[in-house]
Amino acid sequence: MEENILDNKIEIFALGIDFSNDFSQVSYMGANYNEPTSLSTIKGDKRYLIPTVLYKKRQINVWCVGDEANQRSYDDDDDSQTLRDILKMEADYTTEIEGTSYSRSDIFDIYFQEVVGLARKILNAGMIHEVVITLAQPDKSIIDSIYASMCKLGFERERIRVLSHSEAFVYYTLNQNKEVWTNDVALFDFNQDHFIYKRLNIIKNKNPNIINVIENDYSRFITYDMLAIDATKKKADLKFLEIITEEFRKHITSAVFLTGVGFYEDWTSKSLKELCSRRKVFKGYNLFVKGACYAAWKKYKSAKGFGSIFQCEGRTRCNIGLLIDHKGKNIVMLLSKAGTNWYEAGAKVECIVDNVDSVQLELNPVISNISRTAIIGLESLPKRPNKTTRIQISIAYTSCNVCNIEIKDLGFGEFYPPSDVIIRETLDIDSILL
Amino acid sequence: MGLILCEKQATMPYTVPESGKNIYSIEELCYYIYNNSYMLGKEFFSKELIDFVENGLSLESLAQKLKRGVDYGENFTNMIMYILDSCSYYDEEEKQGFVKTLDAIGSKSPAERIKARADVLMANKKYSSAVAVYTIILDQKEFAKQPDFLGDIQNNLGVAYVHMFLYEEAISCFKKAYDISQKEDYLDNMVCAAILLDDDSSMGEIMEKYSLTNETIEKYRKVIDFQTKQIAKSKIYRDTVARLAHSENTSLDLYNERIYQMLNEWKLQYRNQFI
């Protein structure tokens, strides 16, 4: 395979990182790659899972990650130098190791430095063009921290993306043969923290099509601990069978993916038999990381989208439009499109206020298509002659369901200087669309 | 009616020479044109304006139209409408109304239009430029039979001179205004200018010519005293006095620098009176 080699280093066009609380993974694509390749931490071996564990070597400012971190921690027989459950740390988390305090953002910096450094070393990588990090449920503070950490490693902000596991699932699935996603596609994600079922289906009677992922959390019913003894293993198997029967009764499913360390164990004798009946079943652990890599590759190639709207965790649920006056008629100007990654779904626009005392936003969910209007009053703006107030309207999501609107008074040039007035409103999209 | 979507704002503004106003957007340009129609003439469509439209506002198509219009001597109203039509700031009804205003201005005599321009210059503190324009009007022979118009011009000219602290010239203009048209305002202005000049012979002359008593003059003085005291209480006055004061705690270098800065500000204000 011919690779792009500059200065003896290999050029990586797309890098995917699955950042999960128990294990992380890396996959990559370079020149002439048709699909992502998972990174093994030992060359020639198949050690793809990197425990999400950091270990600080004693008395020197050197860290290690993964199996090496676990081994050193085990040798120490204490966890004083070890950091685990990194994704469960709150934004204001701090800890102290050998008298030095580490915040969560410090820990993220170290983690990404180690993981990306490991990938660079193993691949002998030079330039890495696009990076996509995927995690189960990215919230704003985690995404902000990830961007900050990656920027510190020299990546430009535009070259970084953070996706949810649902989004990575979509990217992975749609890059498989079409027969895989002819009908619904199911995924069971089972690890030490959760047992989650996702179902992808394509709603074809809409234009454009909608790629919809729904999610059910069955973590209360099946836990990783249950696999420790036979009795509870059997219970888990029966419960899984129950879930399969119920979920698949209502939907024609062409493919099922089983991912996560929970499926490494042998406990699914009854359920697997039912699952494999008339369906393709795939077991693996690198679906999300490969999905992330596909997303990075698509971005690198500046490829067009799938021509469909994503509706899943991590994506916005509705179009947000602004009612404006255009040549004497009221029209809705699209500010934010449904199906956009919420972190990237912000918009800014400037308008002149002409004899109105409010801003009207139209929320249009793609599935139901029933619009709702959000009205934000402009009474607190300074009183000026008509058409001499310019406002900046910004929308920014803080999750896929919550959108902050900010309306700033810009005055009107030197005729009317701006005031300090900023009007803020938070839209709970789910509540509005109910 | 509603929210009008804005075009891009320029980083560097265009400064309208007649008024010194900085314009940052096509909406502000439309607003300026709409509200200062008397100020505008063909010279408004300068190279600097067209350059601003093209490079500052990135409105290449409009800039091309204006360039062609200048090159081929396009009708003034058409040129104005190119600008107003380039964005949605004014609706059709407003634009049609404005065309009528432009036609009305066009139907006014050149001197009337020039007077309107001079009045706007005054309003924008361009006193020296206003003086020049008023003087041009006074040279026009057509107003010999329009005493009210002439009186206004002379009065306004006098007011411009007062703002420039040229009280003798101001008094001369107020006298001419009052002689043409006996309006109370012209007399008031004349007496106040004479008080500010603080010259006994000048005041004596006015009192004799216009039969003004000492008591009458005293009333004017009281008004000026009161206004002077009001000015002394204003923030701008107090700030200026504070800047001019030198305390022992301030180094001489710092004080000199402050004074130098003030002088520069005053020089700039003075220069800004000219187009």
Side-chain angles (χ1 to χ4, degrees):
Chain A
M1 186 180 296
E2 199 183 310
E3 288 164 321
N4 273 18
I5 300 176
L6 290 167
D7 304 325
N8 290 327
K9 299 258 182 215
I10 294 190
E11 197 174 358
I12 301 295
F13 299 141
L15 191 76
I17 300 175
D18 178 6
F19 181 21
S20 290
N21 197 52
D22 52 356
F23 294 97
S24 298
Q25 294 184 65
V26 178
S27 68
Y28 60 95
M29 284 173 87
N32 301 320
Y33 280 59
N34 293 323
E35 58 177 89
T37 302
S38 281
L39 180 82
S40 170
T41 53
I42 295 174
K43 231 175 177 177
D45 203 339
K46 289 184 180 180
R47 299 286 284 265
Y48 302 117
L49 298 179
I50 306 168
T52 308
V53 178
L54 286 170
Y55 178 90
K56 183 186 173 301
K57 294 178 185 176
R58 290 190 184 275
Q59 287 164 4
I60 52 172
N61 191 24
V62 172
W63 293 78
C64 55
V65 70
D67 288 322
E68 188 187 348
N70 262 341
Q71 187 60 53
R72 284 180 181 268
S73 180
Y74 177 79
D75 292 342
D76 280 356
D77 199 26
D78 76 55
D79 267 358
S80 61
Q81 306 287 109
T82 310
L83 295 171
R84 299 177 194 280
D85 286 333
I86 291 170
L87 266 178
K88 290 184 179 174
M89 293 173 184
E90 297 289 337
D92 57 358
Y93 175 88
T94 56
T95 191
E96 208 172 279
I97 299 179
E98 288 183 341
T100 303
S101 178
Y102 296 92
S103 64
R104 189 184 77 173
S105 60
D106 294 330
I107 294 164
F108 271 39
D109 288 349
I110 296 164
Y111 166 80
F112 283 103
Q113 189 175 340
E114 290 303 312
V115 167
V116 174
L118 185 68
R120 278 192 193 281
K121 189 176 158 190
I122 294 168
L123 297 173
N124 192 27
M127 177 76 181
I128 299 175
H129 289 271
E130 301 285 338
V131 183
V132 172
I133 298 108
T134 182
L135 48 164
Q137 287 185 323
D139 68 38
K140 188 173 187 310
S141 77
I142 287 181
I143 298 176
D144 287 341
S145 295
I146 291 172
Y147 269 91
S149 299
M150 294 302 288
C151 286
K152 283 177 192 171
L153 294 177
F155 290 95
E156 289 164 18
R157 207 173 164 87
E158 298 73 37
R159 304 251 178 254
I160 307 164
R161 282 190 88 187
V162 178
L163 301 180
S164 65
H165 275 173
S166 291
E167 291 173 274
F169 172 36
V170 174
Y171 277 102
Y172 181 82
T173 305
L174 295 187
N175 276 286
Q176 306 310 304
N177 289 330
K178 205 171 175 183
E179 59 188 23
V180 166
W181 42 279
T182 309
N183 295 306
D184 290 8
V185 178
L187 176 143
F188 290 95
D189 175 19
F190 181 27
N191 63 19
Q192 290 163 3
D193 295 312
H194 58 239
F195 187 101
I196 289 178
Y197 166 67
K198 293 184 202 281
R199 179 168 54 79
L200 183 156
N201 72 310
I202 301 176
I203 302 172
K204 291 177 185 162
N205 62 357
K206 296 274 179 185
N207 186 20
N209 290 345
I210 297 170
I211 302 169
N212 191 41
V213 177
I214 61 100
E215 191 174 297
N216 287 333
D217 189 344
Y218 290 109
S219 307
R220 289 175 302 146
F221 303 107
I222 303 176
T223 64
Y224 192 76
D225 294 340
M226 289 170 79
L227 308 184
I229 54 173
D230 281 348
T232 47
K233 260 188 188 178
K234 283 180 183 162
K235 258 186 157 174
D237 187 23
L238 288 172
K239 188 65 194 174
F240 190 24
L241 178 62
E242 205 180 295
I243 291 168
I244 291 164
T245 311
E246 179 56 28
E247 288 289 350
F248 291 9
R249 178 174 62 83
K250 298 173 266 189
H251 309 283
I252 301 171
T253 308
S254 40
V256 181
F257 293 103
L258 305 175
T259 189
V261 294
F263 288 111
Y264 283 18
E265 308 285 334
D266 182 17
W267 60 278
T268 55
S269 53
K270 289 187 165 59
S271 47
L272 197 59
K273 194 176 166 187
E274 171 61 28
L275 208 54
C276 291
S277 162
R278 297 185 304 260
R279 296 175 200 98
K280 293 184 197 310
V281 179
F282 305 90
K283 189 163 94 168
Y285 37 76
N286 54 12
L287 182 146
F288 296 132
V289 71
K290 286 193 170 182
C293 197
Y294 276 123
W297 177 250
K298 209 168 184 64
K299 190 152 176 281
Y300 172 73
K301 289 294 216 183
S302 303
K304 277 191 237 177
F306 295 109
S308 305
I309 298 174
F310 284 24
Q311 283 287 270
C312 61
E313 174 66 34
R315 295 280 165 141
T316 58
R317 291 188 41 213
C318 60
N319 290 331
I320 297 183
L322 176 69
L323 193 69
I324 61 168
D325 179 287
H326 181 68
K327 296 183 179 172
K329 289 184 184 164
N330 279 339
I331 63 165
V332 176
M333 188 185 98
L334 186 65
L335 291 183
S336 174
K337 211 171 156 192
T340 307
N341 179 280
W342 65 261
Y343 195 77
E344 300 163 4
K348 249 182 217 180
V349 72
E350 291 182 10
C351 297
I352 300 280
V353 179
D354 177 15
N355 265 331
V356 284
D357 56 9
S358 63
V359 163
Q360 285 189 51
L361 295 169
E362 197 173 276
L363 281 69
N364 194 359
V366 286
I367 293 183
S368 73
N369 217 21
I370 299 171
S371 295
R372 296 278 189 271
T373 303
I375 296 175
I376 302 168
L378 300 175
E379 296 82 7
S380 52
L381 288 177
K383 301 285 177 267
R384 300 187 182 111
N386 191 37
K387 294 195 192 185
T388 58
T389 295
R390 187 175 179 123
I391 53 174
Q392 182 187 76
I393 303 169
S394 309
I395 67 168
Y397 279 84
T398 55
S399 72
C400 52
N401 186 50
V402 177
C403 183
N404 286 339
I405 313 293
E406 193 180 89
I407 299 170
K408 201 168 157 186
D409 173 39
L410 301 180
F412 193 62
E414 288 190 358
F415 301 101
Y416 295 95
S419 68
D420 296 330
V421 171
I422 302 178
I423 299 165
R424 292 187 173 96
E425 189 90 8
T426 299
L427 303 183
D428 183 320
I429 305 290
D430 277 346
S431 305
I432 294 171
L433 297 181
L434 269 173
Chain B
M1 200 172 88
L3 294 177
I4 302 168
L5 196 61
C6 289
E7 302 285 340
K8 167 195 164 183
Q9 283 203 97
T11 323
M12 295 300 295
Y14 167 69
T15 304
V16 183
E18 288 86 352
S19 60
K21 269 278 185 277
N22 285 326
I23 305 284
Y24 287 88
S25 68
I26 189 68
E27 292 85 14
E28 289 168 41
L29 185 60
C30 290
Y31 176 85
Y32 182 85
I33 288 170
Y34 204 88
N35 291 282
N36 292 279
S37 45
Y38 279 97
M39 283 282 286
L40 307 177
K42 281 197 168 163
E43 67 283 355
F44 181 72
F45 302 103
S46 62
K47 184 183 169 303
E48 288 74 21
L49 173 70
I50 296 173
D51 191 55
F52 168 73
V53 167
E54 185 172 17
N55 297 312
L57 301 181
S58 303
L59 297 172
E60 287 90 6
S61 168
L62 174 61
Q64 291 308 315
K65 280 184 186 166
L66 294 175
K67 270 184 206 167
R68 269 199 306 274
V70 167
D71 289 343
Y72 292 106
E74 177 90 59
N75 173 273
F76 175 75
T77 301
N78 288 350
M79 294 283 279
I80 291 288
M81 293 315 292
Y82 288 152
I83 294 177
L84 298 193
D85 284 338
S86 67
C87 69
S88 307
Y89 189 70
Y90 288 111
D91 60 33
E92 282 312 310
E93 199 181 320
E94 287 167 320
K95 284 189 277 191
Q96 279 166 25
F98 188 61
V99 167
K100 288 181 185 164
T101 303
L102 289 176
D103 288 342
I105 291 170
S107 70
K108 287 197 182 309
S109 68
E112 285 171 319
R113 275 187 272 144
I114 295 173
K115 179 184 178 291
R117 285 180 72 176
D119 290 346
V120 173
L121 285 167
M122 279 285 289
N124 286 295
K125 298 184 184 177
K126 303 279 187 183
Y127 304 119
S128 297
S129 302
V131 163
V133 178
Y134 284 133
T135 307
I136 289 170
I137 297 173
L138 290 172
D139 286 342
Q140 309 291 320
K141 292 175 187 169
E142 63 189 279
F143 302 115
K145 294 179 184 172
Q146 293 180 43
D148 281 350
F149 184 78
L150 270 181
D152 278 348
I153 297 293
Q154 286 288 2
N155 177 69
N156 290 358
L157 186 54
V159 170
Y161 278 129
V162 167
H163 280 288
M164 294 162 72
F165 308 108
L166 299 171
Y167 299 123
E168 282 187 27
E169 287 82 350
I171 291 167
S172 169
C173 290
F174 292 136
K175 277 182 183 172
K176 286 176 189 167
Y178 194 70
D179 288 348
I180 294 167
S181 169
Q182 287 73 45
K183 289 185 183 171
E184 279 298 315
D185 286 348
Y186 299 165
L187 184 65
D188 291 345
N189 288 344
M190 191 198 316
V191 174
C192 287
I195 293 171
L196 290 171
L197 181 62
D198 197 23
D199 175 58
D200 289 341
S201 83
S202 184
M203 181 60 84
E205 205 181 298
I206 289 171
M207 286 173 70
E208 192 182 332
K209 185 172 179 185
Y210 301 104
S211 308
L212 299 173
T213 63
N214 283 325
E215 289 76 18
T216 306
I217 301 301
E218 197 47 39
K219 282 178 191 169
Y220 281 105
R221 285 192 193 280
K222 278 183 181 167
V223 168
I224 288 182
D225 281 345
F226 175 76
Q227 292 299 338
T228 306
K229 282 172 185 159
Q230 291 300 110
I231 290 167
K233 289 180 195 170
S234 71
K235 187 175 184 309
I236 193 168
Y237 182 86
R238 285 184 281 118
D239 286 349
T240 306
V241 167
R243 285 172 83 185
L244 285 169
H246 176 252
S247 75
E248 285 174 5
N249 298 331
T250 314
S251 78
L252 210 51
D253 285 341
L254 205 62
Y255 176 72
N256 286 339
E257 200 184 305
R258 204 164 65 209
I259 298 299
Y260 185 70
Q261 198 182 347
M262 274 184 74
L263 287 172
N264 276 340
E265 284 167 16
W266 289 346
K267 274 193 248 177
L268 193 62
Q269 278 175 28
Y270 180 77
R271 283 174 196 148
N272 280 343
Q273 292 181 38
F274 297 89
I275 292 176

